[in-house]
């Protein structure tokens, strides 16, 4: 077995390059170390009577996704499985990322976590969390008083 001398400076530079790669070039080709390390982009916005969380999850089957709310935290979990036929051919470029993801978001106390709905259509998961009645009344009242 060959002994390799550990160089802490090289280790630090390699880690720094890995961390800065998405910032410096977000369109850089992904490598093998990106397998399983991805997160879908998410939009969160508020409508008059509910909160909407919309995640782009193309290529994931509905059965491979899980939406949970525990202790005021909404967690989206899923897995994009690698297609088997690509392993049998000589691939020239592989940019899509496979593996599991988890995204978690703290929910405000003004929502009713017991009445959550989730719809998956055209690669977009939309989770709707209604506001509690007191928050609906308060937001309508405030809007009427603003000049």
């Amino acid at each position: 077995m060959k002994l390799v001398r550990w160089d802490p400076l090289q280790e630090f530079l390699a880690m720094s390059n890995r961390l800065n790669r998405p910032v410096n070039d977000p369109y850089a080709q992904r490598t093998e170390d990106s397998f399983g390390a991805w997160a879908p982009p998410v939009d969160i916005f508020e409508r008059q009577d509910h909160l909407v969380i919309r995640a782009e999850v193309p290529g994931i089957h509905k059965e491979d996704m899980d939406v949970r709310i525990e202790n005021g935290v909404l967690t989206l979990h899923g897995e994009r499985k690698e297609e088997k036929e690509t392993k049998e051919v000589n691939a020239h470029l592989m940019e899509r990322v496979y593996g599991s993801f988890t995204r978690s978001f703290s929910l405000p106390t003004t929502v009713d976590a017991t009445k959550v709905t989730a719809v998956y259509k055209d690669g977009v998961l939309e989770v709707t969390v209604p506001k509690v009645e007191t928050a609906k009344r308060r937001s309508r009242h405030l809007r009427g008083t603003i000049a």
Side-chain angles (χ1 to χ4, degrees), residues 9-73:
L9 181 60
Q10 285 293 61
E11 186 94 17
F12 177 74
L13 290 174
M15 182 178 66
S16 177
N17 287 337
R18 282 194 307 270
L19 291 173
N20 289 328
R21 187 177 310 139
V23 175
N24 294 337
D25 187 3
Y27 300 105
Q29 182 176 353
R30 291 185 167 101
T31 59
E32 291 175 3
D33 62 350
S34 66
F35 179 84
W38 73 284
V42 174
D43 294 334
I44 301 176
F45 54 93
E46 190 173 347
R47 292 199 174 131
Q48 191 171 15
D49 59 349
H50 56 276
L51 184 69
V52 177
I53 299 94
R54 207 176 273 162
E56 287 184 13
V57 286
I60 299 178
H61 298 287
K62 188 166 50 170
E63 304 82 38
D64 295 330
M65 287 188 287
D66 184 36
V67 178
R68 293 176 187 250
I69 295 182
E70 294 176 349
N71 300 323
V73 176

Side-chain angles (χ1 to χ4, degrees), residues 16-136:
S16 177
N17 287 337
R18 282 194 307 270
L19 291 173
N20 289 328
R21 187 177 310 139
V23 175
N24 294 337
D25 187 3
Y27 300 105
Q29 182 176 353
R30 291 185 167 101
T31 59
E32 291 175 3
D33 62 350
S34 66
F35 179 84
W38 73 284
V42 174
D43 294 334
I44 301 176
F45 54 93
E46 190 173 347
R47 292 199 174 131
Q48 191 171 15
D49 59 349
H50 56 276
L51 184 69
V52 177
I53 299 94
R54 207 176 273 162
E56 287 184 13
V57 286
I60 299 178
H61 298 287
K62 188 166 50 170
E63 304 82 38
D64 295 330
M65 287 188 287
D66 184 36
V67 178
R68 293 176 187 250
I69 295 182
E70 294 176 349
N71 300 323
V73 176
L74 170 73
T75 302
L76 307 176
H77 178 76
E79 181 178 5
R80 183 182 296 147
K81 296 178 181 173
E82 189 170 8
E83 298 170 5
K84 292 181 178 134
E85 65 248 16
T86 58
K87 288 186 177 185
E88 296 171 5
V89 298
N90 291 330
H92 294 279
L93 181 64
M94 299 287 289
E95 290 185 340
R96 296 187 309 161
V97 180
Y98 300 95
S100 63
F101 71 87
T102 301
R103 298 287 312 260
S104 296
F105 308 96
S106 295
L107 294 174
T109 57
T110 57
V111 297
D112 186 356
T114 62
K115 298 179 182 173
V116 176
T117 59
V119 176
Y120 181 62
K121 182 179 177 186
D122 298 330
V124 176
L125 174 66
E126 183 172 295
V127 180
T128 304
V129 187
K131 292 182 183 178
V132 292
E133 287 299 319
T134 55
K136 289 180 192 177

